[in-house]
Each structure stands twice: as structure tokens, then as C-alpha cells.
Amino acid sequence: MAQVALGVIGLLLGVASIPMMEQFYADKINAGEVYTNVKVGTGSTLANESSYNTGGHKPNIALWGNDGHRIGRYRPHKSDYVPDGTQTNIKVHHGDTEPENAAKQPEYILLTMNDDDAICVNYVAVTGPDNNQMGWYGDVGFTCGADWYHSQYKIGANDYMPRCTWIDKDHTNGLRFQGMGIHMTDFNSNSGALAKQYQDVPDSMCKTSPRFKMYESIGPDGVLPIYWPPLNISPANQTDADPQAMSSNQGIPGGDPGMVTPQRRAVEPATTNASYSATRAPRKTNKPGSRFDGHLIVSHHAQHSAIELCESDYSVGADFASIEEEQYCDMYTKDIWPICTDSLPNEGQKPKTNNSSPPSRKNMTTTAEPKKPASHSTKSTKDPNDTKDPKDPKATKDTKDPK
């Protein structure tokens, strides 16, 4: 019998269930062995540009079961790295179960950075001891107010490219969050009903901490909140019995074996949840001397919007030009500039220069004054005290389309 494609919650003309291609599943578990495989993918493919791309140090990982008991932890070595636009399979041993190495199925996962080299995660896949597959797309972070950027890594059906979500320990380059907690079983459905719930009641995805939460500070031994009692899920359509009530369900703290009981007090609503943060002044994430300064990403994909980047207070990354839109986003000022695409390199080619220095934004023809982002819940406006010339970048960089 053919395997049914794993439907994962993403964002494509609204919240949708988008099949994950099988080659991106976490590896299967060897017969007779007990462990969990976690596969983590990073954002774009920016060849030969390791200084600012979306790759980074491998994250620390911890797993919990549906009862809140910790299953196991993974701690990377200093040299463990996830290159940009790639994926890495991580084996998590069940060293925290009682008895040790029990074949317990994971439901909750913590990814946290214990290194200063940030990573932008565009998908997570988990395979438990029973070879049950689960998946998560970085579009959830985008939807819930986390730091994000476009990705050119095709993961889902029909060349779907989810956005990636940033995590970083030292919060440099304008990045706010060290880690994220995910209830993996809440982002997999082939019925479409769960995606519709999240579309109609976004708080049921973004404001209930056990389901998904970004953490400003959380270490490798941090504890996630879990649902207790376990969720009352409708078996017919895999949705919450009462979606409207989910935003007030903050769960109880999980922990090590023996720590979780129904009598433990509920977790107070977290102040570090990124979801639906209040509108604020734009963050200038592409500051001079930052990881992203002096670089321009050029995309030919209709799915990538320079306007969307500029209109978001939470986008973080290099300057971005969309061939499809014929628009350019200055990620320092969050200004949108119309461009003549003849001035941009073809996808997969390096920009031409007359000398060893990077090309200038002056080589990109502009036809008007920059356009301000349209009225939007995450609208950004230019700082009147900013003196950076939007026509004078330090460099241009193109990307190859990963196959």
C-alpha cells in the first residue's frame, strides 16, 4: 500500500495543509533499536556565503511525551554545523525515560541555541520509535510573530518553500529568540479541517503556549509547558473541541519523570511569547557591520515577496529583490524601491563587477522615490534620523535555485 503523504500546516494563500515531500522526513528507526530521529532544515541556499546565510550551529534538542515526562536530549559539539539550505538528521537517545531507553513516543520538542551562530529553521521532521512521522514548517513562526526570512528550499508539494524562523543565543543582528517549543502532533493533518481552524481562530495556534511558543531565553535543560489533561481532539477532523478557548490554555510545566501530576499549578501566561506582539518601531536588522550588511538576495520565485519583507517588523536578513514583483526591499530602512530587472543578474549567476569590490546598488536602476509599505498590522516606517543612503549598498548576491 502506498504511503499517505504527510500533511503539514503551512501558509499558502492562507493557512493550509501542505504535503511534505518524503525525502525530507526524518530517517526511519532501525529495527530493534529505541531512539527518535529529528531532521532540521535551514533556509535559503546561498552558495559560498557562509558569513551571513541562514545556516548555523546545530540546535540543542529535547523531547517530551504527552504526559510531560522528558524522553531524551541532544547536545551538539562545537563543530556540529548545519550548512545553509541543507538538512541534518539528529539521533536523540531516550536517556531520560524510566526505565531508560523506553520506546516512548515524542510529542513535544524544544529547539534552542546554545551557541552564538544563529540558525533559520524552515522545517522540522520527527520520527518516533514506532516510525510515526511528524512535521512542522517555519511558516508557523512567521504567522505567530517570530523573526523570519524567505527560504528557497523546496520542501512541500508543488515546489512549496516555507519561510524560515530564526533562533539565536546572543540576540545579535536584531534576533529576539533563543529557542522554540512545538507540540508536533498539532501541525499534521490531511483533512484540511485543522488548517481551517488555525485560519479562522489564529489564537488557537499562536497563543496557547504548549502548542507553539518562541522563547527569548531558554537553555538546553529548559522545560516546556504541556497540555494537562491531554487535549480533547475531535477524532473526526483532528481539531480542538473548543478552538476559542485554546488561547487561555497555557498548560502546566513538563519535566523529568515523576514530576508531572494533574495537581500542579497552571503555567502563568508567558511574557516571552512572540505571538501578536504590539506594533512597534521598525527594527533595523541590516545595520552596518551586521551579519547581513552589504548583501542582496535576488529571487525569481513568485512565492517570494520583497513587499512582504518590508511590511513586516519581524523580517530579519539581507536586502531582497523580487524579479516577479520588480521591487526591492532595503532591510535597513524597510523602504521599498521599484527596480528595472535588467540591472539585476540572472538567477544562478554572480553579479558582474569592474573590480574586486562588490557592486553597488547604484547599478540597479530605480525609477521613483521609495514606496512606503502599505497600511498593515506590522507596518514599518523609515526613521527620519537615519542617514543611510538607500542607493549605496556594499554588495550584491544572487542565489541558485536548489533542486
Side-chain angles (χ1 to χ4, degrees), residues 186 211 230-241:
D186 290 345
R211 180 160 286 163
L231 288 178
N232 181 16
I233 298 295
S234 168
N237 54 24
Q238 298 176 289
T239 59
D240 292 316

Side-chain angles (χ1 to χ4, degrees), residues 29 90 161 179 188 203 235 244 246-247 251 254 273 277 305 325 329 336 338 358 391:
I29 307 301
I90 298 170
M161 296 173 286
N188 299 269
D203 285 1
Q244 297 289 346
M246 288 306 297
S247 63
N273 199 325
S277 300
S305 170
E325 294 176 325
C329 174
I336 303 170
K391 297 183 181 180

Side-chain angles (χ1 to χ4, degrees), residues 216-239:
E216 292 175 3
S217 178
I218 187 167
D221 296 320
V223 174
L224 295 183
I226 61 103
Y227 290 118
W228 194 269
L231 288 178
N232 181 16
I233 298 295
S234 168
N237 54 24
Q238 298 176 289
T239 59

